[in-house]
Amino acid sequence: MAQTLTETAGSLEAMTPVPYAVTAKRQDTYDTWTLELEPVDGAPIVPGPGQFNMLYAFGVGEVPISNAGNFETDERLVHTIRAVGAVTKALCAAEIGTIVGVRGPFGNTWPIVEAKGKDVVVVAGGIGLPPLRPAIYHVLKNRKDYGRFALLYGARTPTDLVFLDEVKSWQCNYDVDLDITVDVGDTDWKGKVGLVTKLIPPAQFDADDAQAFVVGPEIMMKFVAQELMNRDLPAESINVSLERTMRCGVGLCGHCQIGPTLVCRDGACYTWDKVEKLLAVKEL
Amino acid sequence: MHEQATIRDLVATVLHVAEENDAKRVVRIKVKLGALSHFTPEHFEEHWVDVAAGTIAEGCKVEAELSEDLTDPNAHGVILEDVEIALG
Amino acid sequence: MGPTIAVWKFSSCDGCQLTLLDCEDELLGILGRVQIAYFPEATRAEIEGPWDLSLVEGSVTTPEEAERIKEIREKSGLVVAIGACATAGGIQALRNWANVKEYASTVYAHPEYLETLETSTPHSDHIAVDLELQGCPISKVQLVDALLAVLAGRRPNVPTSAVCTECKRRQTPCVQVLGTPCLGPVTQAGCGAICPSFARGCYGCFGPKESPNTVSLAKRWSEMGASEDQLLRAFRTFNGYKPAFREESARHGG
Amino acid sequence: MADETRTIKTDYLARVEGEGGMLIRLKGNEIEEVKLNIFEPPRFFEAFLRGRYFTEAPDITARICGICPVAYQMAACNSMESVCGVKVEGQLKALRRLLYCGEWIESHALHVYMLHAPDFLGYPSAIEIAKDAPEVVETALRLKKIGNHIMTVVGGREIHPINVKVGGFYKAPSKAELEAMVPDLEWALETSLETVKWANTLDFPDFEMDYEFAALDAGGVYPIEGGERFVSNRGLDIPIDEFYEHVVEEHVKHANALQGHMKERDSYLTGPLARYALWYDLLSPEARGAAEGIGLPKVVKNPFKSILVRSVELVEACAEALRLIREYEQPAEASIEVVPKAGAACGASEAPRGTLCHRYELDDKGIILDATITPPTAQNQPQIEADLRGFVGQFMDLSNEELTLRCEQAIRNYDPCISCATHFLTLEIERT
Amino acid sequence: MRAVLAPEALEAIVDVLRRRDWRVIAPTVRDKAIVYGEIASATELPVGWKDVQGPGSYKLERRDDEARFGYAVGPQSWKRELLAPSVRLLQIKRTNGGLEPVKDAAETKRTAFFGVRPCEVAAIKIQDRVLIGGKYADEDYLQRRENSFVIAVNCGEPAANCFCASMGTGPKVEDGYDLVLTEITGGTHHFVAEAGTDEGAELLAELPQQPAADADLTAAQTVTDAAREKMGITLDRSDVHDLLLANLEHPRYDDVASRCLACTNCTLACPTCFCTAVDDANDLSGEADDRLRSWDSCFTLQYSEMHGGGTRKETKSRYRQWLTHKLSTWHDQFDTLGCVGCGRCITWCPVGIDIREEVAAIRATQEAKS
Ligand SMILES: Cc1cc2nc3c(=O)[nH]c(=O)nc-3n(C[C@H](O)[C@H](O)[C@H](O)COP(=O)(O)OP(=O)(O)OC[C@H]3O[C@@H](n4cnc5c(N)ncnc54)[C@H](O)[C@@H]3O)c2cc1C
Ligand code: SF4
Ligand code: SF4
Ligand code: SF4
């Protein structure tokens, strides 16, 4: 075609996984592991807070997994993965030295830099904490640039809480208002029992000048957003992360649509005002 | 053709039961022949005598009853209902 | 030493297990990675159970078969039901609408010699099945993919969508739109949409797709001139006992 | 005797195992009984064909056997067309023959190399042969694939082809599509000629039977896709429509498959040995040359040598397929119109393993009123038992294990189309 | 550059292109329909055929003239050439512990699409926007697209399901072509040709031709004007974006779900629908994976399946996804409509569901409400 197409065309390498080696691995809960990955050749990509990579387990398949790293270092990728199906099981079973494929980083980032000077409220549900970790790291690293920092963490049971030690260390070292709850306790659990939404009314933040970051199951995010709005936090100041099936991760395969938006391209981070109506429609 | 195998299996079971109960001899067995088991009582006894020969079940009394219920889930099989043994 | 695979036959035509031998290009490659533990169509060698994977062909039509599948279930890591017989009762499930004793006397002079259940049922009516490959016969591609998936520990690629997806991918002009009634829109993909490519309507040998709208398709067929009888037979053939097709055939009499 | 007795409740269930099997009862050196059990659970095809539309018979009866579906489709079509008074001829008939050649190639290659040869070579199966001599199995697979490919191109798929229809086909392949198969078929022809020589290197037990050979008479060509008469070397010569006046089917207690035998005659044999003996002169020059090359007589009475005859038929099917493709012209219409008529007729075809006969009775709307199907294995079963009786007599002093092997091999001589018969699970030898 | 061509010049087009060793893909008659296939001569075009289309029905009939393009669009679209139904994107090999992605050598042969309708040109432009116009580009598509050469044909005789006039994509092509023909059958049968690019002009220059007078251009304009007139406006697109978004829970979706088979035909026949599945398939040795991309559809359950189940389990949600995407959210995502009015989804729906009627039904009850 004599029309100039090439100039309009974006990156072409998006569909090719790059080999990374598993260099460290930690089990977080009975079904969740954290992997650290380093490129076999060259420098690692540096995903921003809120971005995700497509991780590929050889022979099994590829899935989107959020960036859970960048604090001290950009040297390696950190991903926390819950083994729920074939690919995530294979990734969680990877040994140190195993090569996995990585494509990314894809998607947008949390508006964490934009939140400078404001109070920060982070609400995480279970495995929702890892995707928030890069944003948390950013705040901690630049702690003085932000106002109050409330970290509200809930999980179904105590065994579903990840990085508990690390979370507690943040509380001591960085002036974080930490509040934790579980839906169902066990005999060893001395903390709060109840839904994470219960932690919102007492949380310390200035609704006129705060940004909230919320990740968890869709239904949890709905209730959390509602509670936050009950505290007069505007919907535009509530950030959530959505999840849909993704086959390409780069806006070409169409699978991750929710109404007017493609989650992989326009998300996965959204402000609540953009998605509230969409999520209210059943099976949209 | 499978009569033989079935009977052998039954004899083994009877001997096992007998042994567990320290029996000296098997006096009587009672079996229910499924409607589709391919056995008639006479046919069954004939085979039984053959296979039980030389064991402590030799010469025992065989009570075989032919079921006519085609819909019984066990219609194809033979049920060993009980075994009478002589102790001591 | 790969995983052990046992191939079991129940009431069937052997076509689905023959599909394995028909994987001429793949057979040796697969055999190099698994151990055939039991496959009477191909070998007299046997490895005792338990087995990692059992492929189960054929439907349950006798009391003995009903027992046997339970034993196989107990001794198998994965049970994969292959074919319309194993997943839907097969063509012989037509007996489920008839009186078996009458059937038996039609065919056999001495029906009293027969041991048979009144019905022909899929294994899922008797045990928990891990994966069903539909089709009369199953697709080679799906069979090979399922075996490789087991070896790799991934999800097998079994589309649950309509035959139409494959028909469109192979770019066949839709025969239903051209005037030949076709079951493709309610039938599960897998065959490669061969019937339309040979200018005939799909006859449903791969069984119902997920959420098949048989009512709407049947209505269209009637508008195209199909009789109630024809509709009844169309839904009551190789997969007639699968609930979606069973219910639709019942709507057209009998 | 005043022993203390006790009754113990057991309610223990002993199962009757249901697999194919064979029973040989020997008393001293006398054979008391030889029984071949075919525990194929009944599937009632003949019953549920009643009430179906006549055009459904080829698709439905294909499901009787996944190993020779084309045989069923052709017999059903032949029978239906005969009831309705139409004849499929010319290129459509040629296409049917070509499709059937595909099935012969597939089935014979499978049987020769993968089912029968392991017996001769002392392997449990082709899987083990593949470990020692992969090239043998690769050859078999490639041959099989070529047969299957014909069925895919002409019939739509290899198992249960979808393109066969009463009156012809749904769609006729183009000449170019068929010609694309020629190079493969030429290879297959060469290879099948080698197969004959290779098979001739196997060891055959000395054993002959005096058979009544029966096969279709296809009127001047080697019988494959059909024939108007059913004939034997002992003077049987009947129109196929009279098949059931001469052959009766018997349901014997030990097998769910019906057995056929001819009225007022003994058991008879259908299949490769019979076709070959009756129609040797109609074989292609290639096939005849192959037989001559290994000194195979015009009549083979040793059932173990059926593997040789089957190889010769493999040559025949390849040569015939090539000829049919060469002479093919794509017909303007893929089928002729068939209007249902009330009536009844038989139709038959030559399955790889023998003559297959169908008979249907239709009403004037084309609804099937009655169906009778006699597969080759049913016809051959009495003969198989007769063979075994003769055969076991010769090998009585072998150990049970060896005798079992021999018997399995003997059964496989007939390529019975039931998996339980291709590899026996239980063979009981009772010696008293 | 413009010219008047005699019907015989079509043969010259095929000749010239084939001499350059290009593939020429054009409409031909096969399987009782007009489909696209490689041709070696212009005689393989559907000379003297027309199509009679209705919701869920399509039939070829003879015309009483020798028109080469006397039919509308058939079951296939150029999507099959650009966004192939199934293609291997790459192979990933395992090499002693590592991974090595291997790309297949791309097909580089130039391909002329001969007989591209205005709606189809519009559809190609839409797919360009989606597949190579954003931050990331589909490499296979781009490769094929760069190798394509578009010979468009304006429409004179729309089929019953055509509604390009409503969507502003036809019956006259505006841009996006290399060469465009308008067929004039009344009087002496001839074509008015106009080049859209330099390459198009080069081709035109090689053809036997007459100069085009103003009258010829007017005659060509009359052809497309008449077609537009005949079609009328059957779908009001002005407010459709908001209309559909405001009616996501409209009861009409229950009604259409009772008819819709969720069979995927509409989406796969559609020239703009671009959804694909990306699957990895293992090779026999287990040492390499093929990454395959194939046409997918929002009408399947697996399309929206996440861990724990499908997002759109009901047919109603799937139909809504499709309809709103085509006419509404496509605009939000890609700044264009997703429908070009070719009518394929209507004709090739096995039960004849008509997008125009569904929109009209939603509009009618919405209007009744307000
Ligand atoms: C932006 C984003 C970020 C995420 N971040 C994280 C994270 O940080 N940590 C985390 O643990 N999880 C994360 N997830 C979720 C994670 O991607 C899923 O848990 C994962 O995709 C599950 O894949 P699986 O193969 O293990 O599960 P499966 O249940 O085996 O498959 C899951 C889905 O894959 C598709 N699929 C796979 N095979 C087939 C097939 N043969 N046919 C049809 N469909 C098939 C289906 O949609 C299926 O439902 C994230 C998801 C998104 C969208
Ligand atoms: S021919 Fe049948 S399978 Fe193909 S698209 Fe039409 S309805 Fe679907
Ligand atoms: S198109 Fe339908 S009937 Fe034909 S093979 Fe496929 S599933 Fe079976
Ligand atoms: S609208 Fe028509 S073509 Fe589209 S999925 Fe529904 S039934 Fe199929």
Side-chain angles (χ1 to χ4, degrees), chain C residues 24-25 140, chain D residues 106 140-150:
Chain C
E24 288 100 359
D25 294 331
K140 258 197 224 189
Chain D
E106 194 283 329
L141 289 173
R142 184 154 170 213
L143 274 172
K144 225 171 86 50
K145 188 180 172 186
I146 291 168
N148 273 336
H149 191 60
I150 297 180

PDB file of all heavy atoms in Angstrom, chain C residues 24-25 140, chain D residues 106 140-150:
ATOM      1  N   GLU C  24      -1.010 -40.677  13.027  1.00  0.00           N
ATOM      2  CA  GLU C  24       0.182 -41.281  12.450  1.00  0.00           C
ATOM      3  C   GLU C  24       1.433 -40.428  12.659  1.00  0.00           C
ATOM      4  O   GLU C  24       2.505 -40.948  12.904  1.00  0.00           O
ATOM      5  CB  GLU C  24      -0.012 -41.537  10.953  1.00  0.00           C
ATOM      6  CG  GLU C  24      -0.955 -42.683  10.644  1.00  0.00           C
ATOM      7  CD  GLU C  24      -2.345 -42.204  10.269  1.00  0.00           C
ATOM      8  OE1 GLU C  24      -2.557 -40.977  10.271  1.00  0.00           O
ATOM      9  OE2 GLU C  24      -3.222 -43.045   9.991  1.00  0.00           O
ATOM     10  N   ASP C  25       1.260 -39.118  12.581  1.00  0.00           N
ATOM     11  CA  ASP C  25       2.439 -38.265  12.698  1.00  0.00           C
ATOM     12  C   ASP C  25       2.888 -38.080  14.145  1.00  0.00           C
ATOM     13  O   ASP C  25       4.019 -37.715  14.405  1.00  0.00           O
ATOM     14  CB  ASP C  25       2.146 -36.881  12.098  1.00  0.00           C
ATOM     15  CG  ASP C  25       1.921 -36.988  10.601  1.00  0.00           C
ATOM     16  OD1 ASP C  25       2.501 -37.897   9.986  1.00  0.00           O
ATOM     17  OD2 ASP C  25       1.154 -36.171  10.058  1.00  0.00           O
ATOM     18  N   LYS C 140      -8.644 -35.884  16.398  1.00  0.00           N
ATOM     19  CA  LYS C 140      -7.234 -36.205  16.596  1.00  0.00           C
ATOM     20  C   LYS C 140      -6.516 -35.054  17.278  1.00  0.00           C
ATOM     21  O   LYS C 140      -5.735 -35.238  18.186  1.00  0.00           O
ATOM     22  CB  LYS C 140      -6.588 -36.312  15.210  1.00  0.00           C
ATOM     23  CG  LYS C 140      -6.333 -37.655  14.681  1.00  0.00           C
ATOM     24  CD  LYS C 140      -5.334 -37.476  13.561  1.00  0.00           C
ATOM     25  CE  LYS C 140      -5.655 -38.262  12.360  1.00  0.00           C
ATOM     26  NZ  LYS C 140      -4.729 -38.348  11.312  1.00  0.00           N
TER      27      LYS C 140
ATOM     28  N   GLU D 106      -5.774 -48.388   4.873  1.00  0.00           N
ATOM     29  CA  GLU D 106      -5.644 -48.067   6.294  1.00  0.00           C
ATOM     30  C   GLU D 106      -5.753 -49.333   7.131  1.00  0.00           C
ATOM     31  O   GLU D 106      -4.905 -49.635   7.963  1.00  0.00           O
ATOM     32  CB  GLU D 106      -6.747 -47.080   6.679  1.00  0.00           C
ATOM     33  CG  GLU D 106      -6.587 -46.392   8.013  1.00  0.00           C
ATOM     34  CD  GLU D 106      -6.930 -47.238   9.225  1.00  0.00           C
ATOM     35  OE1 GLU D 106      -7.797 -48.137   9.172  1.00  0.00           O
ATOM     36  OE2 GLU D 106      -6.293 -47.002  10.260  1.00  0.00           O
ATOM     37  N   ALA D 140       4.521 -48.548   8.442  1.00  0.00           N
ATOM     38  CA  ALA D 140       3.119 -48.879   8.667  1.00  0.00           C
ATOM     39  C   ALA D 140       2.308 -47.612   8.839  1.00  0.00           C
ATOM     40  O   ALA D 140       1.238 -47.449   8.249  1.00  0.00           O
ATOM     41  CB  ALA D 140       2.991 -49.750   9.908  1.00  0.00           C
ATOM     42  N   LEU D 141       2.835 -46.704   9.648  1.00  0.00           N
ATOM     43  CA  LEU D 141       2.079 -45.484   9.921  1.00  0.00           C
ATOM     44  C   LEU D 141       1.921 -44.644   8.665  1.00  0.00           C
ATOM     45  O   LEU D 141       0.868 -44.056   8.422  1.00  0.00           O
ATOM     46  CB  LEU D 141       2.763 -44.679  11.025  1.00  0.00           C
ATOM     47  CG  LEU D 141       2.660 -45.288  12.428  1.00  0.00           C
ATOM     48  CD1 LEU D 141       3.516 -44.506  13.426  1.00  0.00           C
ATOM     49  CD2 LEU D 141       1.214 -45.327  12.912  1.00  0.00           C
ATOM     50  N   ARG D 142       2.962 -44.617   7.856  1.00  0.00           N
ATOM     51  CA  ARG D 142       2.863 -43.798   6.657  1.00  0.00           C
ATOM     52  C   ARG D 142       1.849 -44.406   5.683  1.00  0.00           C
ATOM     53  O   ARG D 142       1.052 -43.684   5.074  1.00  0.00           O
ATOM     54  CB  ARG D 142       4.243 -43.649   6.013  1.00  0.00           C
ATOM     55  CG  ARG D 142       4.200 -42.731   4.839  1.00  0.00           C
ATOM     56  CD  ARG D 142       5.514 -42.052   4.534  1.00  0.00           C
ATOM     57  NE  ARG D 142       5.370 -41.380   3.238  1.00  0.00           N
ATOM     58  CZ  ARG D 142       6.346 -41.235   2.358  1.00  0.00           C
ATOM     59  NH1 ARG D 142       7.548 -41.687   2.634  1.00  0.00           N
ATOM     60  NH2 ARG D 142       6.129 -40.634   1.206  1.00  0.00           N
ATOM     61  N   LEU D 143       1.873 -45.724   5.562  1.00  0.00           N
ATOM     62  CA  LEU D 143       0.891 -46.397   4.704  1.00  0.00           C
ATOM     63  C   LEU D 143      -0.535 -46.118   5.196  1.00  0.00           C
ATOM     64  O   LEU D 143      -1.422 -45.751   4.435  1.00  0.00           O
ATOM     65  CB  LEU D 143       1.120 -47.902   4.715  1.00  0.00           C
ATOM     66  CG  LEU D 143       2.136 -48.461   3.730  1.00  0.00           C
ATOM     67  CD1 LEU D 143       2.380 -49.936   4.025  1.00  0.00           C
ATOM     68  CD2 LEU D 143       1.664 -48.279   2.285  1.00  0.00           C
ATOM     69  N   LYS D 144      -0.696 -46.314   6.488  1.00  0.00           N
ATOM     70  CA  LYS D 144      -1.983 -46.091   7.122  1.00  0.00           C
ATOM     71  C   LYS D 144      -2.460 -44.662   6.867  1.00  0.00           C
ATOM     72  O   LYS D 144      -3.617 -44.407   6.540  1.00  0.00           O
ATOM     73  CB  LYS D 144      -1.778 -46.249   8.636  1.00  0.00           C
ATOM     74  CG  LYS D 144      -2.806 -47.068   9.344  1.00  0.00           C
ATOM     75  CD  LYS D 144      -2.346 -47.303  10.776  1.00  0.00           C
ATOM     76  CE  LYS D 144      -2.743 -46.173  11.705  1.00  0.00           C
ATOM     77  NZ  LYS D 144      -4.111 -45.773  11.668  1.00  0.00           N
ATOM     78  N   LYS D 145      -1.522 -43.763   6.973  1.00  0.00           N
ATOM     79  CA  LYS D 145      -1.860 -42.356   6.805  1.00  0.00           C
ATOM     80  C   LYS D 145      -2.332 -42.070   5.387  1.00  0.00           C
ATOM     81  O   LYS D 145      -3.257 -41.273   5.175  1.00  0.00           O
ATOM     82  CB  LYS D 145      -0.636 -41.503   7.136  1.00  0.00           C
ATOM     83  CG  LYS D 145      -0.933 -40.032   7.178  1.00  0.00           C
ATOM     84  CD  LYS D 145       0.308 -39.238   7.501  1.00  0.00           C
ATOM     85  CE  LYS D 145       0.001 -37.760   7.341  1.00  0.00           C
ATOM     86  NZ  LYS D 145       1.206 -36.948   7.501  1.00  0.00           N
ATOM     87  N   ILE D 146      -1.711 -42.728   4.441  1.00  0.00           N
ATOM     88  CA  ILE D 146      -2.116 -42.499   3.053  1.00  0.00           C
ATOM     89  C   ILE D 146      -3.531 -43.019   2.832  1.00  0.00           C
ATOM     90  O   ILE D 146      -4.347 -42.374   2.184  1.00  0.00           O
ATOM     91  CB  ILE D 146      -1.075 -43.128   2.099  1.00  0.00           C
ATOM     92  CG1 ILE D 146       0.234 -42.326   2.195  1.00  0.00           C
ATOM     93  CG2 ILE D 146      -1.604 -43.167   0.654  1.00  0.00           C
ATOM     94  CD1 ILE D 146       1.429 -42.968   1.550  1.00  0.00           C
ATOM     95  N   GLY D 147      -3.818 -44.174   3.406  1.00  0.00           N
ATOM     96  CA  GLY D 147      -5.186 -44.682   3.342  1.00  0.00           C
ATOM     97  C   GLY D 147      -6.149 -43.709   3.992  1.00  0.00           C
ATOM     98  O   GLY D 147      -7.193 -43.343   3.432  1.00  0.00           O
ATOM     99  N   ASN D 148      -5.782 -43.263   5.175  1.00  0.00           N
ATOM    100  CA  ASN D 148      -6.626 -42.310   5.885  1.00  0.00           C
ATOM    101  C   ASN D 148      -6.787 -41.018   5.104  1.00  0.00           C
ATOM    102  O   ASN D 148      -7.842 -40.386   5.142  1.00  0.00           O
ATOM    103  CB  ASN D 148      -6.020 -41.990   7.259  1.00  0.00           C
ATOM    104  CG  ASN D 148      -6.475 -42.992   8.312  1.00  0.00           C
ATOM    105  OD1 ASN D 148      -7.524 -43.620   8.153  1.00  0.00           O
ATOM    106  ND2 ASN D 148      -5.701 -43.142   9.367  1.00  0.00           N
ATOM    107  N   HIS D 149      -5.731 -40.641   4.416  1.00  0.00           N
ATOM    108  CA  HIS D 149      -5.791 -39.389   3.668  1.00  0.00           C
ATOM    109  C   HIS D 149      -6.819 -39.483   2.540  1.00  0.00           C
ATOM    110  O   HIS D 149      -7.564 -38.549   2.284  1.00  0.00           O
ATOM    111  CB  HIS D 149      -4.403 -39.029   3.145  1.00  0.00           C
ATOM    112  CG  HIS D 149      -4.337 -37.641   2.595  1.00  0.00           C
ATOM    113  ND1 HIS D 149      -4.618 -36.539   3.372  1.00  0.00           N
ATOM    114  CD2 HIS D 149      -4.071 -37.181   1.355  1.00  0.00           C
ATOM    115  CE1 HIS D 149      -4.516 -35.454   2.618  1.00  0.00           C
ATOM    116  NE2 HIS D 149      -4.192 -35.808   1.398  1.00  0.00           N
ATOM    117  N   ILE D 150      -6.850 -40.627   1.885  1.00  0.00           N
ATOM    118  CA  ILE D 150      -7.871 -40.807   0.842  1.00  0.00           C
ATOM    119  C   ILE D 150      -9.257 -40.633   1.470  1.00  0.00           C
ATOM    120  O   ILE D 150     -10.130 -39.949   0.931  1.00  0.00           O
ATOM    121  CB  ILE D 150      -7.770 -42.213   0.200  1.00  0.00           C
ATOM    122  CG1 ILE D 150      -6.422 -42.377  -0.498  1.00  0.00           C
ATOM    123  CG2 ILE D 150      -8.929 -42.447  -0.777  1.00  0.00           C
ATOM    124  CD1 ILE D 150      -6.241 -43.730  -1.167  1.00  0.00           C
TER     125      ILE D 150
END
